[in-house]
């Protein structure tokens, strides 16, 4: 495919025709090698954005992106390895809870996670708020940690799906980030390269999700499940609600403290419900009963509940922190975590029901307080964030505390508080209860 011939591929896709396996594979190899210039790849991304891709094209694109770098070999770890990926949200600390639950049920969790950018917090940032916790392990250390403890969560290796890094940077500046095929290929190329046998996708939907409408969330879930199947990996997706922040804590060490409370049996009910559902689904993908029939979702959830309530899941989390160099005194005594210097309460302006929350707004306000990143180089304030005191459907009286903003500078807190005021709608009618688990696609 010479430079001129890549123009033919752009034209072909622009006209809505399907690209061949060879055209897609060569496109990725040559783009990573620097043979296809950014301006041509931008035109191709825009054509894909408008015309979409069929399942075969999308699987080919994803596997070509996976094969652009290192594919992790987890064969040294016995058993069926299941990976979980969340499309992100506000207060989403599920990996910190679900991973230890699944590991406590005898299913190894070898997980590579990312950092947060924009209004969603990253799992690695949360773990790094535990003093001395190491998210960078060598391949051998990673495998050894999973073999010993059943769980390890680390950062993605530099050479994992480099085509995705290059394409994402280009999508970011060409207005093609929100294309469902391109989002699906981006997520799944990294999941397939991470080496697990089965994949569970937590596709969030609602005001705090990357894709806010239910139709788009379904479309993304279905495309990713189809890619997994096309690549020979059993893949399922769970659609979960992000119409309000998950749990009470938004911000790095605040969320770690909430994860510890949940693992000790004292966490918020919504966090517990979502985590047991995700863990139950992972267990049903990985485990079989006598006679080789798969564990059902309900049976998986019961097993997960037992691991949580017995304290075995908390012990796994503690072991993981210790193995990865973290100071376990903070896990045993969460009051040791650094506290924000400035806290201020957001009070209800009227009597009534909380009708709606702008969840993304909570994420933006947490970012104003220092809990998130504007750019990859931004420094995070681990103690910054928001404690959500009232949730959708609750009745409040004027003056009741709706949320607490935590930051290091008074002007940050004042600004975030003013912004948050518009993120909670109070009205006379009690809304329908939120459905946390919207659907399962397998």
């Amino acid at each position: 495919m010479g430079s001129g011939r890549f123009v033919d591929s752009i034209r072909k896709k622009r006209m809505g025709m399907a690209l061949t396996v060879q055209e897609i594979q060569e496109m990725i190899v040559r783009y990573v090698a620097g043979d296809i210039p950014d301006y041509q790849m931008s035109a191709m991304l825009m054509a894909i954005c408008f015309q979409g891709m069929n399942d075969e094209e999308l699987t080919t694109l994803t596997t070509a992106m996976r094969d652009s770098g290192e594919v992790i070999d987890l064969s040294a770890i016995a058993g069926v390895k299941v990976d979980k990926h969340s499309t992100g949200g506000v207060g989403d600390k599920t990996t910190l809870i679900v991973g230890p639950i699944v590991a406590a049920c005898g299913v190894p969790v070898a997980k590579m996670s990312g950092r947060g950018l924009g209004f969603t917090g990253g799992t690695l940032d949360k773990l790094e708020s535990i003093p001395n916790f190491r998210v960078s392990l060598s391949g051998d250390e990673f495998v050894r940690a999973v073999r010993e403890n059943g769980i390890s969560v680390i950062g993605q290796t530099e050479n994992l799906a480099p085509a995705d890094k290059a394409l994402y940077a280009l999508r970011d500046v060409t207005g093609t980030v929100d294309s469902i095929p391109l989002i699906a290929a981006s997520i799944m190329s990294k999941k397939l390269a991470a080496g697990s046998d089965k994949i569970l996708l937590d596709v969030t939907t609602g005001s705090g999700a990357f894709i806010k409408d239910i139709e788009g969330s379904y479309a993304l879930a279905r495309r990713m499940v189809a890619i997994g199947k096309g690549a020979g990996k059993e893949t399922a997706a769970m659609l979960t609600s992000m119409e309000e922040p998950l749990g009470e804590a938004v911000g790095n060490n605040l969320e770690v403290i909430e994860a510890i409370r949940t693992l000790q049996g004292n966490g918020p009910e919504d966090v517990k419900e979502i985590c047991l559902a995700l863990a139950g689904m992972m267990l049903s993908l990985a485990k079989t009963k006598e006679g080789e029939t798969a564990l059902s979702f309900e049976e998986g959830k019961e097993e997960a509940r037992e691991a949580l309530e017995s304290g075995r899941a908390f012990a796994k989390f503690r072991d993981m922190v210790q193995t990865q160099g973290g100071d376990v005194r903070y896990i045993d005594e969460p009051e040791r975590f650094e506290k924000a210097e400035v806290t201020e309460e957001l009070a209800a302006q009227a009597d009534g029901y909380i009708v709606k929350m702008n969840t993304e707004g909570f994420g933006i306000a947490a970012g104003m307080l220092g809990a998130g990143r504007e750019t990859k180089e931004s420094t995070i304030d681990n103690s910054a964030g928001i404690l959500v005191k009232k949730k959708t459907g609750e009745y409040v009286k004027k003056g009741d505390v709706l949320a607490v903003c935590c930051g290091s500078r008074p002007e940050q807190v004042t600004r975030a508080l003013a912004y948050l005021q518009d993120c909670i709608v109070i009205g006379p009618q009690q809304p329908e209860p939120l459905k946390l688990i919207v659907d399962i696609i397998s």
Side-chain angles (χ1 to χ4, degrees):
M1 200 197 314
S3 185
R5 285 188 55 202
F6 188 59
V7 170
D8 296 338
S9 295
I10 297 169
R11 193 177 292 120
K12 191 174 168 182
K13 181 42 72 184
R14 194 194 74 206
M15 290 166 69
M17 294 158 71
L19 300 174
T20 66
V21 169
Q22 188 182 357
E23 282 171 327
I24 293 168
Q25 288 174 341
E26 284 190 14
M27 171 179 84
I28 294 300
V29 168
R30 292 188 58 231
Y31 179 61
V32 172
D35 290 347
I36 292 174
D38 277 354
Y39 60 84
Q40 280 194 314
M41 189 52 96
S42 299
M44 176 60 89
L45 292 174
M46 194 58 80
I48 292 169
C49 214
F50 282 120
Q51 296 292 359
M53 287 185 130
N54 65 34
D55 282 350
E56 187 189 15
E57 285 179 289
L58 192 49
T59 300
T60 304
L61 174 66
T62 308
T63 52
M65 288 163 65
R66 172 198 69 191
D67 296 339
S68 66
E70 179 187 10
V71 177
I72 308 293
D73 179 9
L74 298 177
S75 59
I77 300 164
V80 177
K81 280 75 69 181
V82 185
D83 200 352
K84 175 196 85 82
H85 175 82
S86 169
T87 55
V90 178
D92 181 359
K93 68 281 294 173
T94 55
T95 293
L96 308 182
I97 302 158
V98 172
I101 292 174
V102 172
C105 295
V107 173
V109 179
K111 176 133 182 61
M112 291 192 180
S113 286
R115 297 197 178 279
L117 194 60
F119 69 88
T120 63
T123 298
L124 295 187
D125 303 314
K126 291 164 196 177
L127 287 169
E128 282 187 330
S129 74
I130 302 167
N132 306 323
F133 189 97
R134 291 169 60 217
V135 298
S136 298
L137 300 183
S138 71
D140 288 347
E141 285 177 315
F142 179 48
V143 168
R144 189 162 61 247
V146 180
R147 286 174 71 170
E148 283 173 16
N149 294 331
I151 181 169
S152 179
V153 180
I154 63 167
Q156 285 162 1
T157 63
E158 272 308 298
N159 200 28
L160 200 78
D164 176 59
K165 287 190 185 76
L167 286 173
Y168 194 90
L170 199 55
R171 284 165 57 209
D172 202 26
V173 294
T174 55
T176 52
V177 167
D178 55 1
S179 155
I180 282 174
L182 295 176
I183 296 168
S186 172
I187 291 170
M188 290 301 288
S189 63
K190 295 191 288 273
K191 289 293 107 186
L192 294 173
S196 283
D197 304 307
K198 314 269 179 108
I199 300 164
L200 175 65
L201 302 156
D202 174 9
V203 180
T204 52
T205 185
S207 70
F210 187 57
I211 294 182
K212 297 179 178 10
D213 65 294
I214 191 75
E215 292 80 11
S217 303
Y218 265 112
L220 177 60
R222 289 197 181 102
R223 296 313 298 267
M224 292 196 292
V225 168
I227 291 168
K229 189 179 170 190
K233 301 258 184 187
E234 190 182 349
T235 305
M238 191 174 278
L239 260 67
T240 61
S241 173
M242 199 38 82
E243 289 292 8
E244 62 180 12
L246 183 59
E248 294 161 11
V250 181
N252 295 291
N253 73 25
L254 297 175
E255 291 190 44
V256 173
I257 293 164
E258 186 164 279
I260 292 166
R261 279 177 49 215
T262 305
L263 287 165
Q264 291 176 329
N266 309 315
E269 278 306 310
D270 60 341
V271 175
K272 186 176 164 185
E273 185 183 330
I274 289 225
C275 288
L276 287 176
L278 291 168
M281 197 67 202
M282 287 172 77
L283 292 171
S284 77
L285 285 170
K287 296 189 92 167
T288 52
K289 299 178 290 189
E290 302 267 330
E292 294 301 296
T293 56
L295 211 63
S296 73
F297 171 51
E298 288 303 325
E299 288 165 333
K301 259 199 326 195
E302 274 318 299
E303 213 171 297
R305 188 184 306 279
E306 193 280 323
L308 184 65
E309 289 174 357
S310 66
R312 289 187 295 120
F314 174 71
K316 280 287 175 200
F317 181 70
R318 194 181 183 283
D319 287 347
M320 179 182 81
V321 171
Q322 192 154 31
T323 299
Q324 293 186 225
D327 188 339
V328 290
R329 292 176 303 171
Y330 285 75
I331 310 306
D332 297 334
E333 304 157 38
E335 58 278 5
R336 283 177 177 270
F337 279 100
E338 182 191 355
K339 290 176 183 63
E341 288 170 37
V342 186
T343 58
E344 220 173 305
E345 295 175 345
L346 175 70
Q349 301 293 300
D351 295 2
Y353 292 98
I354 296 182
V355 177
K356 201 166 130 198
M357 287 185 165
N358 170 3
T359 313
E360 183 177 340
F362 273 80
I364 291 167
M368 290 175 180
L369 291 160
R373 276 190 190 82
E374 290 300 315
T375 69
K376 284 180 181 160
E377 288 69 44
S378 304
T379 318
I380 282 180
D381 176 354
N382 284 326
S383 64
I386 299 165
L387 292 168
V388 185
K389 295 297 184 183
K390 300 285 182 188
K391 304 288 280 272
T392 309
E394 286 189 61
Y395 187 81
V396 296
K397 286 191 168 334
K398 186 177 179 179
D400 281 357
V401 178
L402 302 177
V404 180
C405 287
C406 312
S408 57
R409 298 202 310 274
E411 66 275 15
Q412 275 178 320
V413 176
T414 304
R415 188 169 150 242
L417 215 54
Y419 185 86
L420 210 53
Q421 193 77 61
D422 296 330
C423 296
I424 301 174
V425 180
I426 294 173
Q429 295 292 123
Q430 187 170 23
E432 289 285 308
L434 291 178
K435 192 178 177 191
L436 289 175
I437 312 295
V438 180
D439 206 353
I440 294 171
I441 296 164
S442 55

